[in-house]
Amino acid sequence: MIFEVPPLPYPKEALEPAISRNTLEFHYEKHHKGYMAKLKAAIENTPQANQPLTEIIKTTTGDIFNNAAQVFNHTFFWECMQPNGGGAPPAGPVLDMLKRDFGDWAQFRKQFIETGMKRFGSGYVWLVWQDGKSQLISTANAETPIKTGIKPLRTADVWEHAYYLDYQNKRDSFLESFCDKLINWSFVQKQLEA
Ligand code: FE
């Protein structure tokens, strides 16, 4: 079990203006590290204290699951973004996959934003690999595809804490920025090949 969240893969101002330094400061320092602190407190002196994070996620419910899943989901989310990212993926296996399963980049982008807008309350929009193809799904609160063995390729956090300081209630504007300026396609490709 790793008892600290990994460092952010870029400086906190690196995603501006799509995500401000202020948002990343709160999101990483208070929320992500906060989930880890609560997880550590909850598993102290329990069998989970010596288990890998993914094992805890697969075998628990309630508070321990929620905090463990949030630790994983945020670490994964940071890796899904990069400065000057987004736009259609470059020619290669990821673009071929999106064309085959969604038609083209514009169709994929539209469906991704719709999936995020339909998630009532807090959660995540995921591109996952399931049943031999890529699919868009959303999950509620801390729920995560790895709980049920589904392979995540990419996620976007749609909890209000992910966008409210920069976009207020405009989740759709945040998701557009995510598509156009943030997606780290080489990370998606790495997940696909993993
Ligand atoms: Fe979050």
Side-chain angles (χ1 to χ4, degrees), residues 27 31 35 70 74 77-78 124 157 159 161-162:
H27 203 169
H31 293 277
Y35 295 125
Q70 286 294 70
H74 283 86
F77 175 51
W78 308 136
Y124 296 82
D157 185 341
W159 285 57
H161 67 223

Side-chain angles (χ1 to χ4, degrees), residues 91-155:
V94 174
L95 184 62
D96 294 344
M97 173 185 79
L98 296 186
K99 280 184 180 166
R100 188 191 65 214
D101 298 335
F102 297 92
D104 59 12
W105 161 244
Q107 279 296 316
F108 171 79
R109 184 183 179 281
K110 186 165 167 277
Q111 281 186 44
F112 164 75
I113 294 167
E114 282 171 4
T115 306
M117 293 305 286
K118 280 187 196 150
R119 167 49 49 200
F120 184 81
S122 297
Y124 296 82
V125 196
W126 304 84
L127 178 66
V128 297
W129 183 261
Q130 188 182 10
D131 304 329
K133 60 178 179 173
S134 60
Q135 303 188 43
L136 283 166
I137 62 165
S138 76
T139 54
N141 301 319
E143 289 297 333
T144 183
I146 66 166
K147 173 98 178 166
T148 48
I150 297 168
K151 178 154 101 169
L153 302 177
R154 196 222 56 198
T155 195

Side-chain angles (χ1 to χ4, degrees), residues 1-143:
M1 168 80 202
I2 299 163
F3 283 106
E4 299 303 331
V5 301
L8 277 175
Y10 30 71
K12 286 179 186 144
E13 64 278 4
L15 304 181
E16 291 192 332
I19 294 179
S20 67
R21 188 187 200 288
N22 198 26
T23 290
L24 262 194
E25 176 76 24
F26 276 99
H27 203 169
Y28 176 71
E29 297 293 341
K30 305 296 181 191
H31 293 277
H32 195 188
K33 289 188 178 174
Y35 295 125
M36 180 59 98
K38 285 181 190 156
L39 174 64
K40 278 155 81 169
I43 65 176
E44 213 182 336
N45 301 318
T46 75
Q48 279 81 39
N50 297 311
Q51 288 177 359
L53 188 62
T54 50
E55 189 64 24
I56 297 174
I57 290 169
K58 284 179 182 167
T59 56
T60 60
T61 56
D63 269 359
I64 294 179
F65 166 76
N66 283 335
N67 286 297
Q70 286 294 70
V71 167
F72 172 86
N73 289 346
H74 283 86
T75 302
F76 194 84
F77 175 51
W78 308 136
E79 297 286 347
C80 292
M81 301 185 287
Q82 65 172 53
N84 305 310
V94 174
L95 184 62
D96 294 344
M97 173 185 79
L98 296 186
K99 280 184 180 166
R100 188 191 65 214
D101 298 335
F102 297 92
D104 59 12
W105 161 244
Q107 279 296 316
F108 171 79
R109 184 183 179 281
K110 186 165 167 277
Q111 281 186 44
F112 164 75
I113 294 167
E114 282 171 4
T115 306
M117 293 305 286
K118 280 187 196 150
R119 167 49 49 200
F120 184 81
S122 297
Y124 296 82
V125 196
W126 304 84
L127 178 66
V128 297
W129 183 261
Q130 188 182 10
D131 304 329
K133 60 178 179 173
S134 60
Q135 303 188 43
L136 283 166
I137 62 165
S138 76
T139 54
N141 301 319
E143 289 297 333

Side-chain angles (χ1 to χ4, degrees), residues 172-191:
D172 51 349
S173 300
F174 167 61
L175 291 172
E176 285 166 14
S177 290
F178 183 85
C179 284
D180 299 338
K181 294 166 187 165
L182 295 174
I183 300 172
N184 179 346
W185 288 116
S186 44
F187 179 74
V188 177
Q189 186 167 334
K190 234 189 283 171
Q191 303 316 302

